[in-house]
Amino acid sequence: MSHQFIIIGTGFAAIIAAIELKRKGWHDFVMLERRSFAGGTWQQNRYPGAAVDVHSPLYSLSGKPYPWTQMFAKQSELAQYTQNIIEEHQLSPHIRLNSTVNEAIWEPQTQLWQVMVNDNEVIQSQFLLNCSGALSTPVVPDFVGLKSLTIPNFHTNQWPDNLDLSDKRVAIIGSGASATQVIPAIQPDVKHLHVFQRTPHWVIPRSDIKFPKWFQLCLRIAPVYNAIRWSLYWYNEIRFLGFKHIPVLLKILGEWPAKRLLRKHIKDPILRSKLTPDFTIGCKRIILSNTLYPALASSNVTLHDKHDGVRAFYEQGILTSQGERIDCDVVIFATGFNAADGLVSYSVKGRNGLELSEVWQNYAHAYLGTCVPQFPNFFLFNGPNTGIGHTSALFILESQVQYVSKAIDSVLSKQKRSIEVTTEAEFEYNQMLDKAMHKTVWSWGGCKSWYQNAHGKVVALLPTFTFIFRRWCKAFKSEHHHYH
């Protein structure tokens, strides 16, 4: 089987790429989805309390007005939104479910990608677009005794359907973004909740509102919708000044409101001390929540900090580092994703059999976070240093797709078969990023975060304004590429 394009994934990145291919008149493509359903993150993450932490009108496709019901949409609304877009753009005929990509190999003679699917099928394509997502590979640390657990246990990314936690003794491992949404959602129902926190996060108020019907009607009007989107965009973009250029803004806009929120809800000085971070705000992902602290202060919640963490698991629960045995009915792992070192979950071999994992042995890097030398016609969405900590990821994806579209256009217009970025252009680009990254709070803020790889290098985030990144993507430079 052969297609001009293979898109790996069916989440927002894949949807944006597919829409662009159709807009350009390139209809010969297939979208490979490993799961039994399409839609990516918001179809997969169904844990209680799941919601976006970016304003809904901004966390949506440009030029597509949508009547959001609240400022920070919940998972169910986001899942419906992605399904609506798939139907509107008639993408379903292009989607193949239950199709796990095992390997992709560049064949120099034919100048085609050979993509192994489900270990028994090879699909060929001229262009390969990886849209598998940065937060798609859940991670559970290799705890001592983990395999001995006989009680229900799972990652938040794999939340069981129809799970009833009423009157259950529950432990949640982790205190990041997913955990801070799950905890307030389940706390009122459980008998007791043990929260194991390695590092406290900075938490600021979440300015969420439900939109009245008249406002939802206004959101259907393109000029109104676009005006709201761009207002929210610039409101969020200004905050990047604090992450890199004017650190005092982090105190004014972040640390001071966070400390006020902590004092307001946590009266116990010992608990407040456990919940107070020792790093600069912004170094790790900032949590938006009005309900986390009241939940943690409840009588049926026990917070275990780094001095009382998980030593080991046994059949019915957890042995803490203080020697306490905690019997549980359910253990929930809110332990995040392999966002820095697991950007591509399958083997990719470029020219001369070069493995992408070898190229990225020390750290992941790519030109515009999208292309890697020696890997022709291979485009990464959500690639190295394209993540953001202050605005909508969809803005980045819609920037990347402009570069990818121009690159493919240049191949076809020149009547060539392949394109790849030069080693020099990719090296210079990443040298520029490294220099910029050293000035950001993610480098000097004094924390260990999922923004960093195993060697401590920040490879997840973009160290500049997103409008600058868009300008880079739009200004396609053919001299930065080889054609064959």
Side-chain angles (χ1 to χ4, degrees):
M1 185 179 294
S2 181
H3 294 276
Q4 188 175 17
F5 303 89
I6 291 177
I7 299 174
I8 299 174
T10 59
F12 272 129
I15 290 170
I16 288 169
I19 291 173
E20 176 64 12
L21 294 185
K22 295 191 76 170
R23 187 188 73 83
K24 296 289 291 185
W26 303 326
H27 297 281
D28 182 17
F29 65 90
V30 64
M31 304 170 72
L32 302 178
E33 171 57 60
R34 62 181 173 177
R35 300 185 178 97
S36 60
F37 53 85
T41 295
W42 298 109
Q43 297 288 351
Q44 174 66 24
N45 286 286
R46 300 186 298 275
Y47 59 81
V52 71
D53 58 3
V54 177
H55 305 93
S56 304
L58 183 58
Y59 191 76
S60 52
L61 272 62
S62 62
K64 300 288 180 183
Y66 192 79
W68 296 102
T69 63
Q70 64 187 91
M71 185 64 82
F72 295 94
K74 290 183 169 61
Q75 177 270 334
S76 57
E77 187 169 15
L78 289 158
Q80 186 59 57
Y81 176 69
T82 55
Q83 191 58 44
N84 289 349
I85 293 176
I86 287 172
E87 293 174 2
E88 178 186 349
H89 292 276
Q90 300 179 339
L91 299 182
S92 293
H94 296 273
I95 295 173
R96 277 189 45 173
L97 302 176
N98 302 304
S99 298
T100 299
V101 173
N102 311 113
E103 186 178 53
I105 301 175
W106 176 253
E107 176 52 57
Q109 283 74 31
T110 59
Q111 296 206 67
L112 295 173
W113 282 99
Q114 314 284 329
V115 179
M116 175 69 74
V117 179
N118 294 335
D119 291 319
N120 61 10
E121 179 186 4
V122 174
I123 305 176
Q124 295 182 328
S125 71
Q126 183 179 1
F127 300 98
L128 181 59
L129 284 62
N130 180 80
C131 302
S132 54
L135 302 180
S136 61
T137 306
V139 171
V140 175
D142 188 19
F143 290 106
V144 175
L146 179 60
K147 293 181 180 179
S148 67
L149 270 176
T150 58
I151 58 175
N153 63 94
F154 49 85
H155 193 281
T156 52
N157 182 255
Q158 297 149 345
W159 196 276
D161 292 332
N162 305 314
L163 177 68
D164 184 8
L165 294 177
S166 300
D167 205 34
K168 295 288 196 301
R169 299 164 300 174
V170 179
I172 184 164
I173 316 299
S175 59
S178 298
T180 56
Q181 293 183 338
V182 172
I183 291 166
I186 68 173
Q187 174 268 320
D189 300 323
V190 303
K191 182 176 183 179
H192 200 90
L193 179 62
H194 290 271
V195 178
F196 286 85
Q197 167 195 275
R198 184 174 59 183
T199 308
H201 285 251
W202 289 103
V203 182
I204 62 175
R206 184 184 184 91
S207 304
D208 199 4
I209 56 172
K210 289 187 180 296
F211 296 145
K213 290 292 184 182
W214 67 265
F215 192 81
Q216 294 177 42
L217 291 174
C218 289
L219 288 176
R220 291 182 178 274
I221 304 171
V224 175
Y225 191 76
N226 289 333
I228 293 171
R229 271 180 59 87
W230 282 108
S231 297
L232 290 170
Y233 171 79
W234 288 113
Y235 166 78
N236 283 283
E237 198 67 6
I238 287 171
R239 296 189 302 165
F240 180 76
L241 288 169
F243 289 100
K244 182 180 178 184
H245 300 283
I246 311 176
V248 69
L249 287 179
L250 290 174
K251 284 187 174 292
I252 298 171
L253 300 178
E255 184 177 332
W256 294 350
K259 286 184 174 179
R260 285 196 297 269
L261 188 70
L262 184 60
R263 288 194 299 269
K264 176 182 178 181
H265 292 296
I266 306 297
K267 303 303 182 183
D268 179 0
I270 296 177
L271 180 58
R272 190 188 307 155
S273 176
K274 290 181 179 181
L275 291 170
T276 302
D278 61 359
F279 55 86
T280 304
I281 190 168
C283 183
K284 292 170 76 79
R285 185 171 179 174
I286 300 173
I287 303 299
L288 278 64
S289 178
N290 302 323
T291 56
L292 175 64
Y293 287 153
L296 291 174
S298 299
S299 59
N300 68 332
V301 176
T302 301
L303 179 70
H304 303 262
D305 65 6
K306 63 182 179 181
H307 303 295
D308 188 30
V310 176
R311 178 188 294 177
F313 287 92
Y314 59 93
E315 290 86 348
Q316 297 297 319
I318 298 169
L319 176 66
T320 74
S321 55
Q322 295 294 322
E324 181 184 4
R325 290 173 67 89
I326 300 174
D327 289 343
C328 303
D329 298 305
V330 177
V331 175
I332 302 166
F333 293 97
T335 43
F337 300 83
N338 193 355
D341 294 307
L343 288 173
V344 179
S345 60
Y346 52 92
S347 172
V348 183
K349 296 179 180 178
R351 292 195 183 279
N352 303 313
L354 180 63
E355 282 267 11
L356 184 60
S357 59
E358 294 177 12
V359 176
W360 287 356
Q361 186 173 5
N362 293 324
Y363 66 95
H365 51 90
Y367 177 79
L368 295 174
T370 311
C371 286
V372 181
Q374 304 297 315
F375 292 84
N377 292 359
F378 179 60
F379 301 99
L380 291 153
F381 287 79
N382 293 305
N385 294 114
T386 59
I388 36 76
H390 66 287
T391 189
S392 172
L394 273 62
F395 188 89
I396 293 292
L397 294 173
E398 291 188 327
S399 301
Q400 284 186 281
V401 83
Q402 293 188 43
Y403 164 73
V404 173
S405 182
K406 290 175 184 290
I408 294 170
D409 233 344
S410 71
V411 175
L412 301 179
S413 64
K414 294 177 184 293
Q415 297 185 326
K416 299 292 185 178
R417 288 291 298 164
S418 66
I419 183 174
E420 62 185 273
V421 68
T422 66
T423 301
E424 295 76 17
E426 195 257 4
F427 177 78
E428 290 175 6
Y429 175 79
N430 284 285
Q431 285 289 100
M432 176 183 64
L433 288 191
D434 286 347
K435 185 177 180 180
M437 189 66 75
H438 288 308
K439 300 177 182 177
T440 70
V441 67
W442 310 313
S443 289
W444 54 257
C447 72
K448 171 67 177 174
S449 73
W450 64 262
Y451 302 154
Q452 303 165 340
N453 69 358
H455 303 287
K457 185 178 178 65
V458 180
V459 297
L461 297 186
L462 177 71
T464 190
F465 292 100
T466 59
F467 63 85
I468 291 178
F469 182 75
R470 174 157 293 188
R471 190 169 68 210
W472 292 342
C473 290
K474 290 176 71 173
F476 178 78
K477 299 179 179 180
S478 60
E479 66 271 20
H480 285 182
H481 304 80
H482 293 306
Y483 294 87
H484 300 278

